[in-house]
């Protein structure tokens, strides 16, 4: 059986858990700490997936593997791919800020971190402009946004006050059983 390694709170790991469950692919979830991912993954990050001899060390290769194993396409629509990548860049920036803060580095001290923060602030407005909650959560671009928003709100990294489409998206996500059971506060 496939083994997905990660942490329960990580937005990248969550997206993989959602896709594997949506596609009814049997997998074992193995919780790992930083030391274990540093030893077992070439990128030293989570998630990583092991299926027999195959090791996939990025959520995006894992997602492609899961969707295509189930006979589906992966990020085929260019606008959905763009949405996915904007949200993905925002998660990377937010995680970097979060981890560096634990090392005492903050945007008021490091100009490049202020740029990372701006990417998140402006990116939220862009996600709000691009997302139409009346379409539901039908694509990996939108799932990526849900994973970002839920994690960033949970970790108190962002506020979505006044961003009505993001507020509605969060509400819809909380009603979807597969998505809700993987939430960081589940
Ligand atoms: N591009 C990677 C990013 C994964 C990532 O940043 N994971 C974080 C946890 S949320 C991590 O393991 N960070 C450890 C580190 O940066 O050393 C993916 O999509 O899987």
């Amino acid at each position: 059986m496939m083994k997905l390694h990660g942490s329960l709170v990580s937005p990248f790991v969550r997206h993989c858990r959602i896709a594997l469950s949506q596609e009814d692919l049997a997998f074992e979830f193995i919780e790992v700490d930083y030391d274990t991912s540093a030893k077992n993954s070439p990128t030293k990050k989570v998630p990583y997936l092991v299926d027999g001899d195959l090791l996939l060390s990025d959520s995006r290769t894992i997602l492609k593997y899961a969707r295509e194993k189930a006979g589906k396409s992966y990020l085929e629509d260019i606008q959905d791919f763009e949405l996915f990548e904007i949200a993905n860049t925002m998660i990377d920036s937010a995680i970097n800020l979060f981890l560096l803060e634990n090392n005492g580095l903050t945007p008021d001290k490091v100009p490049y971190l202020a740029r990372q923060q701006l990417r998140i602030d402006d990116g939220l407005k862009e996600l709000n402009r691009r997302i139409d909650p009346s379409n539901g959560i039908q694509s990996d671009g939108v799932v990526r946004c849900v994973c970002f928003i839920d994690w960033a709100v949970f970790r108190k990294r962002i506020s979505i006050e006044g961003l009505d489409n993001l507020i509605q998206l969060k509400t819809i996500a909380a009603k979807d059983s597969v998505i809700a059971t993987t939430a960081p506060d589940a």
Side-chain angles (χ1 to χ4, degrees), residues 1-115:
M1 196 193 294
M2 282 186 259
K3 290 184 170 57
L4 179 70
H5 300 76
S7 77
L8 283 169
V9 172
S10 161
F12 301 104
V13 176
R14 183 185 183 198
H15 196 162
C16 297
R17 291 162 66 210
I18 291 171
L20 290 165
S21 300
Q22 285 176 334
E23 304 306 351
D24 279 327
L25 296 168
F27 69 101
E28 185 186 343
F29 180 74
I30 300 171
E31 212 168 347
V32 291
D33 58 19
Y34 270 27
D35 289 343
T36 310
S37 58
K39 248 189 284 153
N40 294 344
S41 168
T43 59
K44 308 194 182 307
K45 292 190 178 198
V46 292
Y48 57 95
L49 180 117
V50 179
D51 190 9
D53 290 341
L54 180 70
L55 167 66
L56 299 175
S57 62
D58 189 283
S59 65
R60 290 166 291 188
T61 45
I62 297 169
L63 290 174
K64 181 173 163 70
Y65 187 61
R67 297 297 186 205
E68 292 183 355
K69 221 175 171 32
K72 306 252 179 76
S73 62
Y74 174 63
L75 294 176
E76 206 177 37
D77 178 83
I78 191 68
Q79 287 300 344
D80 192 57
F81 191 6
E82 173 69 4
L83 178 67
F84 180 103
E85 287 299 330
I86 294 170
N88 197 59
T89 299
M90 293 170 72
I91 310 178
D92 275 337
S93 290
I95 300 252
N96 270 331
L97 284 170
F98 178 66
L99 295 177
L100 287 169
E101 202 175 281
N102 296 338
N103 289 271
L105 297 174
T106 48
D108 55 312
K109 290 186 197 141
V110 184
Y112 184 64
L113 295 186
R115 185 177 167 93

Side-chain angles (χ1 to χ4, degrees), residues 86 123-132 163 165-166:
I86 294 170
L124 276 175
K125 291 179 208 136
E126 181 65 13
L127 295 188
N128 190 59
R129 198 180 65 72
R130 284 177 173 266
I131 282 170
D132 179 355
L163 300 172
N165 287 338
L166 302 188

